[in-house]
Amino acid sequence: MSERPPKPPRQERWDRRMELPLAAASVAYLAGYAVRVLARDHLPRLGVDLCVGVVLGSWAVFVADYAVRLRLSGLRPLRFVRTHLMDTVVLVLPLLRPVRMVTLYDRVQRRRDQPRLSLYARVMVYSGLSVSLLGFAAALTVYHHEADAPGATIVTFGDSVWWACATLATVGYGDVAPVTPVGRVVAVGLMACGLALLGAVTGSFSSWLIQAFTREDEKPAGGPRDGEGPRGDSPGAS
C-alpha cells in the first residue's frame, strides 16, 4: 500500500462533518440487511422493499462520501485507491462498513486530544468491538446464502453464529461448514480477521503483563515507603 499523503484542510473538515452521518448510515445498513435476512419469511412485500431501500440508500451515502473525498483529496483516482485501500474495500463490501464505526468510538473516548483509556485497553476494546461486528456481519451473510443451499449444514441463524464464533476463534470444530462459494469466501476472510484481531489482543495483553512485571522488578528492594524517611538502626541492635 502506498504511503498516504497528508489530507488537505477541506478534506479534514469534510471527514469531521461526516463522522456521525456515516455512523448512522452504517447502523442503518446493518439493521436493514439483518431484518431482511432474519425476517425474510415473515416480512410483507412492503417490508422487504423498505429494507432493500434502506440498504441501497445507506450504500449511496457511502458512495457519495467516497466520491467527495476523492474530489477533495486532489489525487488521481488510481492514486487515491492505492492510498485508501481499506476505504475502497469497505465501499465494495459495505457489510464491513460497521467495523469502521469503531474509529468513531475511539474519537469519542478522547478529550483534549488525550485518550481516556490506556493504549492496551484501547487495543483490546477496538479488537473486541471489531470481532463482534465482523462476526455478526459474517453470520448474516453466511446464513443468507447457506440456509436454502442443497446439502447445507448451516440452516438456522444460530448455526451461523456458532460457526462464526468457532471460525473467529480459529477452533474449527467442523460440525457445520459453508458449502456455497460465497460462504467459503466469507469463511476465508473471517479466518484471517480472527487471526489478526485475536493476535492483537493476545499481544497487547502480553505486553501489558511484561510492562507491569518490569515495573515491579525495577522498584528498589526494601526502599522507604512513600511519605516516610530513611529508617535508623533499631534500638538495642548490636
Side-chain angles (χ1 to χ4, degrees), residues 9-69:
R10 289 194 305 168
Q11 187 180 351
E12 289 278 4
R13 290 194 297 270
W14 173 264
D15 288 346
R16 289 195 298 269
R17 193 176 304 154
M18 288 299 294
E19 282 180 359
L20 291 180
L22 286 175
S26 300
V27 172
Y29 185 97
L30 187 60
Y33 184 71
V35 173
R36 171 69 181 86
V37 171
L38 299 178
R40 58 182 179 173
D41 296 329
H42 308 285
L43 281 178
R45 183 62 187 177
L46 179 61
V48 173
D49 293 341
L50 179 61
C51 289
V52 172
V54 169
V55 169
L56 293 179
S58 302
W59 189 63
V61 173
F62 304 151
V63 173
D65 173 70
Y66 188 89
V68 171
R69 289 192 294 116

Side-chain angles (χ1 to χ4, degrees), residues 143-164:
Y143 175 60
H144 184 198
H145 292 276
E146 293 284 325
D148 299 324
T153 56
I154 301 176
V155 294
T156 67
F157 184 63
D159 293 337
S160 188
V161 171
W162 166 252
W163 166 83

